[in-house]
Amino acid sequence: MDYESEYDNRARVPEFPDIVAGWISRSAHLRGDVAAADLGIPHGPSPRQFLDILWPDATRQAPVVLFFHGGYWQRQHPREVTFVAEGCLAHGVAVALAGYDLAPHVPVGNIVAQARGAAVCLHHRIKRRIVVSGHSAGGHLAAALTATRWHDIDVRGADDMVTSGLGISGVYDLEPLVSTRLNEALRLSEAEARRLSPIHWEVPAGRTFSAFVGAEESAEFRRQSRDFAVAWGEQGAVADSVEVPGANHFTVLDQLADPASAMVARLVELARASEDAASLAA
């Protein structure tokens, strides 16, 4: 297996710069047009540790999805992908986008800790359970948060503050990256890559995760989603993998901007189920 080629998504999709330019334009438009927004909420000490929350209406009372951008933990910015909120907003579900520090300035383990900190900050702000989602490296972070035992992180919050997630073209097994040029910034040893791979983690009872991936992505990315769903399913989690026809590693994100897509339908279902479970617990 040529891991260098399998994980080099920019080389596989040469129109990548135009796709990202479209993301940035669409994102700026949505931030200016959304019914209500709370932008730049700090969840940590560095400038990149912030939350943008986009609300479907001015009441700010809605289920919330927390989204993490991709970029192999070393690129991109949450405001490049604000447009991903559009589909959920159309169904009355809010979307929070979280920033985090990047490698090589911080190691991947620290990024996981920052993602957890973003979830804790959001939970205490909105007083709701959260559904997590993310693209590529963000899919890894979404899986990490879905498998987190929250009282180990924050004894003040609910232990079930995150119990479900949806990954998009996620990297759930980091070990194949160790031999690639991506690891020049990540600096992962074999042991650390395995330790940080949610595919190998023990999953608390009652967790749910859907792993979406583009049908036109590399064999490795499609394997990642299939194997991850199987591994968590064998532990008793509700886990599935879904291939999006015709989508590559970048165009797959268009599904989140489409209120009629299966991806948005699944996220909305998870968000509403999270709200219903919280009501029953109360």
Side-chain angles (χ1 to χ4, degrees):
M1 178 67 70
D2 181 358
Y3 288 141
E4 196 70 57
S5 174
E6 289 289 301
Y7 288 96
D8 190 349
N9 292 302
R10 295 186 177 196
R12 295 180 65 87
V13 185
E15 61 272 27
F16 164 79
D18 292 336
I19 293 172
V20 173
W23 289 355
I24 293 170
S25 176
R26 294 159 67 188
S27 295
H29 177 77
L30 182 59
R31 284 195 302 276
D33 194 48
V34 70
D38 300 316
L39 304 179
I41 303 162
H43 67 79
S46 69
R48 286 190 59 99
Q49 290 176 263
F50 71 89
L51 291 162
D52 283 347
I53 311 174
L54 281 68
W55 298 96
D57 58 56
T59 68
R60 289 172 166 78
Q61 297 296 317
V64 178
V65 171
L66 174 60
F67 184 85
F68 296 96
H69 67 83
Y72 281 128
W73 307 273
Q74 57 194 277
R75 307 183 192 111
Q76 292 195 334
H77 190 279
R79 289 189 181 161
E80 293 181 356
V81 294
T82 310
F83 79 97
V84 301
E86 190 169 354
C88 284
L89 289 172
H91 290 278
V93 173
V95 176
L97 297 101
Y100 50 87
D101 291 329
L102 302 177
H105 304 292
V106 297
V108 176
N110 285 33
I111 295 172
V112 172
Q114 289 185 11
R116 287 171 170 153
V120 169
C121 174
L122 180 62
H123 173 66
H124 285 290
R125 183 180 182 90
I126 65 175
K127 312 299 183 187
R128 280 179 158 83
R129 294 173 67 187
I130 302 161
V131 172
V132 290
S133 184
H135 175 234
S136 198
H140 164 266
L141 296 175
L145 269 59
T146 304
T148 295
R149 299 179 185 277
W150 288 100
H151 274 173
D152 292 344
I153 306 299
D154 174 35
V155 295
R156 300 174 303 128
D159 197 36
D160 62 350
M161 59 179 277
V162 176
T163 60
S164 62
L166 186 149
I168 305 153
S169 308
V171 185
Y172 311 109
D173 176 5
L174 277 60
E175 292 179 86
L177 303 183
V178 173
S179 63
T180 72
R181 283 174 293 180
L182 293 165
N183 204 34
E184 293 174 6
L186 302 179
R187 301 173 184 173
L188 293 167
S189 66
E190 292 280 358
E192 184 73 350
R194 184 175 181 85
R195 186 183 73 82
L196 291 170
S197 296
I199 196 170
H200 300 306
W201 291 8
E202 179 182 344
V203 185
R207 304 298 163 99
T208 299
F209 200 90
S210 288
F212 281 72
V213 65
E216 302 302 316
E217 299 200 49
S218 70
E220 265 296 278
F221 268 94
R222 288 180 281 120
R223 175 199 67 80
Q224 286 258 0
S225 291
R226 289 194 306 268
D227 288 1
F228 178 77
V230 169
W232 275 30
E234 288 176 346
Q235 293 194 53
V238 178
D240 63 337
S241 62
V242 181
E243 291 197 3
V244 179
N248 63 41
H249 189 75
F250 303 107
T251 59
V252 70
L253 269 189
D254 289 337
Q255 298 291 303
L256 284 181
D258 179 2
S261 74
M263 191 183 294
V264 167
R266 182 59 172 152
L267 260 182
V268 170
E269 177 187 22
L270 292 174
R272 290 176 177 166
S274 178
E275 290 278 287
D276 291 343
S279 297
L280 289 172

